[in-house]
Amino acid sequence: MGDSCLPRSRRHSDDDSWSAVHHCGITARGARLVAVSPQIPDESLTLAEKHALAFAVLSDIGSDVAKQYGLAFDLPDDLAAVHDRPGFGLQRVNDGHPRTLPLPAIYVIDRSGTARWAFVDTDYTTPASGWHGSGACARLVPSTSSQRHGTPGCSRVTSEFGHPVQSPQAACVAVRPCGAAARRPAPYANRCRTCAFPVPQCRRGRTGRWRPAGPDGDRAAACRVLGAGTSMCAPTRCATGSGPCLRARQQCVPCLPEGLVVPEPLDAVTPAAAGTSASSAEMTAPPTVGVEEEFVLADRHSRAAVFRAPSVVGAARARLGAPHATAEVSQAQVETVSGVCRTAEDLVAEIVRLRGGAARAAAEYDCLLVPSGSAILGRPGPPPVADKARYRAFVRRFGPLVQDQGVNACHVHVGVADREEAVRAVNHLRGWMPLLLALTGNSPYSDGTDTGYASWRSMVWGRWPLAGPPPRLRGAAHFDQVVGHLVASGAAMDPAMVYWHVRPSPHLPTVEVRVADVLPDPAATTAYALLVRALVSCAVDAVRTGEPAPDVPDLLLRAACWQAARYGANGTLPATHSRDCAPTAVGRLVEELWKRVESYLGRYGDDRWVGDWLSEVQHRGTGSVRQRLVAEQHGGRLQAVVDELAVPPA
């Protein structure tokens, strides 16, 4: 069963058959679980380590064994183009075989090598009917008579159209001619707004369930579905043309009620854990990652910003836990704080949980939770400021600068234990901040007006004395010295008020990237956070290898950030990650960023998440572009924009 064939929505989730396989107590019944993947051994090993799999993941390079068993198919040209996008990396992970993939299949094989249960379906979102893990293992007893589908000895087999195969001959192998209209899942470019899992066409994703797009036309590749009663030993075809030759490879046996023999072809599969030398980097767990998201509260009726944060935050803390919901400077804001995560699946689940819980708390007080960098309608304040001594001190010291600071960002923390490395890594990261801002602008409107900016939030937040790009720092001692002088000058009340776009966290062993607007949906937030993690990892490695950081002038960085806030992903930006800083199209900068972090994304299993998001930004635009499009589609009614963005309560 090749895990690389499954969409991320079907991997390791609590409600599907794969989770049942993992937890059903197969081992307790003396059975062994083995997975087969078309990926190279290093990728299979990385997959097993990342998900802490307790079973072996074997590598079938080129799907050679799957081809012998009739389980392989070649992607047609249109789907191959999708899989060639940045983020899939099939050329690399499948060792130069990007077009050939195996069908997901499950076989239960007894100790004599006889398969007693099988399930194959070309629609990989279909769960295995009747699969109950240890129950299937318990039924491993020889059948005494020829049996048809639905009886204990011969399991249900589906055709490529998803219908049960009724004839006993077809129980052995179902073959459709080339050109048959096979039901294959459509490529997914979007993700569900609620659960953030891939969907072919996102219908606002309210149910949180992945659904295939339905028939998508003729495909050139034939699709063979092997079921119980079919030999898996013979690479040659049967003389009758109905399937592979069985047993002695001499005669075709239509149905073997006692099962099928699974001999030497599995010997061609290379165990990932045997004889594989992985680099120390590959053996290292991904750095931790966490996300802080800020939201504006909008009245459910008027959609204007409303000052109900004290009540909403209290209700959110009761639902989510006190550390996970907090007030911000404005009483029209709510902030959620994720737990520490390592995998994309953990992170997106946490973001969905926090957003849904906070939205439910907001609904209790007749509010909408809106992920927009600025309040689309109404003025979010302050005043009034949240009831905290720190925020009251803001008003006394900074006066009118505090007004209208109810803007909403997304902060990403990436674990870096060594503080010296964290400070020096910031020197490598600072040049990428304009591009990250350009990709995440999500605040074109303020108080009912189109500002003309992609990120009006960054303009409002930039009023603070120490907001913006960080200076180049020589190390941790220099950082402490600079921050100490800034606090002593009165420009910052404390080190936490050094609001640089990227900084070593003042209270956590992390590098904190603070440049982005809050993003529209969980999938975008997750992908952005994973991109930041890869970029931080790359920067830390650059520090360790002695790679010099570009010495970009502070004023040029600030100017580039203004361009990013003004125009978003349209137009050009100075290439501040390099030494020449030449004006460069944003699309070209994204390509250079991808080359910089691709190996890290692949190592952590994050390339598809990030690739999907970058492709979506390229084709659908940033959050600011999409807000304006919704307004245009509704005759300029900004209430529709609020409704489109509002987080569904969990």
Side-chain angles (χ1 to χ4, degrees), residues 210-284:
W210 197 94
R211 289 289 182 265
D216 57 355
D218 291 350
R219 298 301 185 205
C223 216
R224 300 175 196 159
V225 182
L226 259 67
T230 305
S231 173
M232 299 172 70
C233 65
T236 57
R237 290 187 57 80
C238 172
T240 66
S242 61
C245 285
L246 307 182
R247 287 193 172 175
R249 309 187 185 187
Q250 300 286 329
Q251 56 184 346
C252 181
V253 182
C255 190
L256 303 176
E258 294 187 1
L260 59 104
V261 177
V262 185
E264 66 274 9
L266 282 179
D267 296 340
V269 182
T270 307
T276 300
S277 58
S279 68
S280 59
E282 290 170 325
M283 297 294 291
T284 303

Side-chain angles (χ1 to χ4, degrees), residues 149 154-155 157 165-174 225-230 254-255:
H149 300 287
C154 193
S155 79
V157 183
V165 178
Q166 299 297 334
S167 69
Q169 290 79 12
C172 298
V173 60
V225 182
L226 259 67
T230 305
C255 190

Side-chain angles (χ1 to χ4, degrees), residues 115-328:
R116 296 298 185 185
W117 195 95
F119 183 88
V120 184
D121 195 323
T122 56
D123 181 354
Y124 54 68
T125 67
T126 301
S129 175
W131 168 253
H132 297 292
S134 59
C137 296
R139 294 196 299 271
L140 291 185
V141 292
S143 61
T144 57
S145 62
S146 180
Q147 297 162 317
R148 291 174 181 260
H149 300 287
T151 57
C154 193
S155 79
R156 177 180 183 271
V157 183
T158 58
S159 74
E160 62 193 286
F161 296 97
H163 304 303
V165 178
Q166 299 297 334
S167 69
Q169 290 79 12
C172 298
V173 60
V175 182
R176 294 287 178 182
C178 294
R183 186 179 71 177
R184 291 216 179 88
Y188 48 87
N190 302 322
R191 294 179 184 269
C192 172
R193 284 169 47 110
T194 303
C195 68
F197 289 134
V199 293
Q201 294 179 357
C202 185
R203 299 279 192 258
R204 288 183 65 93
R206 295 300 187 184
T207 63
R209 299 291 296 170
W210 197 94
R211 289 289 182 265
D216 57 355
D218 291 350
R219 298 301 185 205
C223 216
R224 300 175 196 159
V225 182
L226 259 67
T230 305
S231 173
M232 299 172 70
C233 65
T236 57
R237 290 187 57 80
C238 172
T240 66
S242 61
C245 285
L246 307 182
R247 287 193 172 175
R249 309 187 185 187
Q250 300 286 329
Q251 56 184 346
C252 181
V253 182
C255 190
L256 303 176
E258 294 187 1
L260 59 104
V261 177
V262 185
E264 66 274 9
L266 282 179
D267 296 340
V269 182
T270 307
T276 300
S277 58
S279 68
S280 59
E282 290 170 325
M283 297 294 291
T284 303
T288 57
V289 62
V291 172
E292 299 165 358
E293 291 190 285
E294 297 161 351
F295 305 88
V296 64
L297 294 174
D299 181 80
R300 186 170 64 87
H301 304 286
S302 69
R303 278 72 156 200
V306 64
F307 302 122
R308 297 174 192 162
S311 299
V312 173
V313 169
R317 285 180 170 176
R319 287 182 171 275
L320 303 172
H324 297 293
T326 185
E328 265 298 325

Side-chain angles (χ1 to χ4, degrees), residues 449-495:
T449 300
D450 190 332
T451 65
Y453 280 74
S455 175
W456 184 243
R457 175 206 63 87
S458 62
M459 294 292 96
V460 174
W461 190 253
R463 298 171 186 171
W464 293 110
L466 301 179
R472 185 181 173 92
L473 299 163
R474 296 190 296 273
H478 186 212
F479 171 83
D480 291 338
Q481 182 185 40
V482 170
V483 171
H485 289 326
L486 293 172
V487 173
S489 73
M493 293 175 53
D494 52 42

Side-chain angles (χ1 to χ4, degrees), residues 28-77:
R29 295 187 176 272
R32 182 183 178 190
L33 181 63
V34 177
V36 181
S37 166
Q39 297 178 339
I40 59 177
D42 281 358
E43 290 295 326
S44 295
L45 180 60
T46 299
L47 176 77
E49 290 177 339
K50 185 178 75 168
H51 294 291
L53 302 182
F55 51 88
V57 180
L58 311 181
S59 293
D60 178 17
I61 304 299
S63 298
D64 290 339
V65 176
K67 291 175 184 176
Q68 295 175 14
Y69 301 159
L71 292 174
F73 69 94
D74 290 332
L75 289 171
D77 292 340

